[in-house]
Amino acid sequence: MRIQYVLQEIGHGLRRNLTMVIAVIVSTAVALTMLGAGLLMWQQTKAMEGYWYGKVQVAVYMCNQNDVGNSANCTSAVTAAESDAIKAKLEITPYVAPGGVIYESQQEAYQHYEEEYGKTALGQNATPSFLESDYRVKLTDPSKYQIVEGAVGGMPGVSSVVDEQQLLSPLFTFIHIAEYTAVGVAGVMLVLAFLLIFNTVRLSAFSRRRETGIMRLVGASNFYIQMPFLLEGAVAGLFGGVLASGVLIGIKAFFIDGIVAPHLTSIQFIGWGPFVFIVPVLLGAGILMAVVASAFTLRKYLRV
Amino acid sequence: MISFENVSKTYPGQERPALSEMSLEVERGEFVFVIGSSGSGKSTFMRLILREERPTTGRVIVAGKDLSKLSNWKLPHHRRLIGTVFQDFRLLPNKTVHQNVSFALEVIGKPKSHINKVVPEVLDLVGLDGKEDRLPSELSGGEQQRVAVARAFVNRPMILIADEPTGNLDPETSVGIMKLLDRINRTGTTVVMVTHDQAIVNQMRKRVLELDQGNLVRDQARGVYGYVR
């Protein structure tokens, strides 16, 4: 395989069908941007779920020294006796799953808090004593939050009872809808990109039929004949992937970090970590999709 | 070199076979004319040798290989044994004479040093030395056909198939091309030439295969174009 010949052929091919190639690159880029956005949103919900989400439904927070005077049941920080009484009460409350009452100390709460909010302003100011110890309660029926509230809400030492599910659910529903929409749009755009590549390669094969006809006659291998077409597709797909990555990095850097994050300090947004994984996925997906589409077209339109 | 054993070819959707029950043998180094009117099966005959088509029944054996057993991925190697020349030359218009000929070697992965050595040799053989850098549009029809012959022959094929190579040329130029094909034949290359050109067939006195409606109606050594017409 002569590299210079191949590069030359790719260059010629891409220039010959410039408008079609641009269409391929743009539609691939849009498809991959959507795909990448879906993946990032998935990462975002994972980051927001925190340690307890999905494991328990209700949190019974107990008083710490800061709560004294702020909460009706808090005359002092929770005592061991109060804590034991709350636990005993929870364990006989209907709908609480067997073994579903888990104690979380202030120190543990701090660790989980830091995992979730560590990089935000909230997280940086937190100390263990700032947080409340609590019981995480798992329910056999997640909708029966009221029962737990009624059972222990008024007990001494209980600062508040929170339905964690309810707190995050609407937001997650929103993000999941956005995520599925993005992936759905990505699917439609991928079909579009596939059809465009199909057409582009067909045009390319047609405009080069003289060359390929001669190559066939003199006994060039199928690989050699098809290679320039496949590489053309791969280059276009790669461009699409690069564009998509650029767009997503731009959104993260200027929109999320620059505009949204300073106003929403309570939410920890995804960092650059996921990009290390998503950018190669997008580049690879762009190339793979283009090569598969090209190969499929060549089987049909480039008789060897 | 080429052997047909009871070869029939019927194209899908057609009742009459394009070739029926054809058996013949072409020896190494022979020069064979294939004649016949349009639709007589000449093209099918050639396409079977190149394995562009497979016979419906019977066997085609080229250079000792049964083509119906040849796998698709070995097909390129089979085609390297055969050089092909067409009536319409089929040169690449944006490449020079030298590039057109070297193209045939580049695409089968021959090293540059080899290409630079053999291309001038073959251009010299076909009488085009000094015209390496011309484009096909700057050449006469006869010269263009010489480029095509050079391209077909540059890889020293065992068989040269010429499909009406003089069909677009005037008689005088045709003679030049025939001399060239004769010279190539004398190097030991088997030449199969499809033609309508009576004068040439009569002049050359080579073996003649005449096809009519898919049947081999004449196989004559040192034949002429048509004595029963």
Side-chain angles (χ1 to χ4, degrees), chain A residues 1-2 4-5 8-9 210-212 214-222 224 303-304, chain B residues 47 52 76 79-80 82 84 86 90-93 103-104 106-108 110 112 115 151:
Chain A
M1 183 73 48
R2 305 253 305 271
Q4 199 192 342
Y5 161 78
Q8 206 178 319
E9 285 296 300
R210 219 193 270 263
E211 279 87 344
T212 52
I214 291 166
M215 288 164 96
R216 213 159 59 78
L217 271 176
V218 300
S221 65
N222 302 352
Y224 205 99
R303 207 167 63 90
V304 181
Chain B
R47 293 171 68 80
E52 301 247 8
R79 298 218 170 110
R80 286 177 202 181
I82 304 173
T84 322
F86 298 94
R90 301 202 187 169
L91 301 177
L92 299 174
F103 182 76
E106 281 168 13
V107 299
I108 57 173
K110 295 282 184 193
K112 192 139 205 153
I115 294 174
R151 181 179 65 195

Side-chain angles (χ1 to χ4, degrees), chain B residues 91-102 116 119-120 123-124 127-139 143 147:
Chain B
L91 301 177
L92 299 174
N94 52 350
K95 289 190 190 290
T96 65
V97 169
H98 186 281
Q99 287 167 340
N100 260 289
V101 177
S102 45
N116 286 338
V119 171
L123 285 177
D124 191 33
L128 283 173
D129 50 327
K131 300 198 168 164
E132 297 87 351
D133 297 327
R134 304 279 188 91
L135 289 172
S137 56
E138 298 165 347
L139 299 175
E143 286 169 331
V147 179

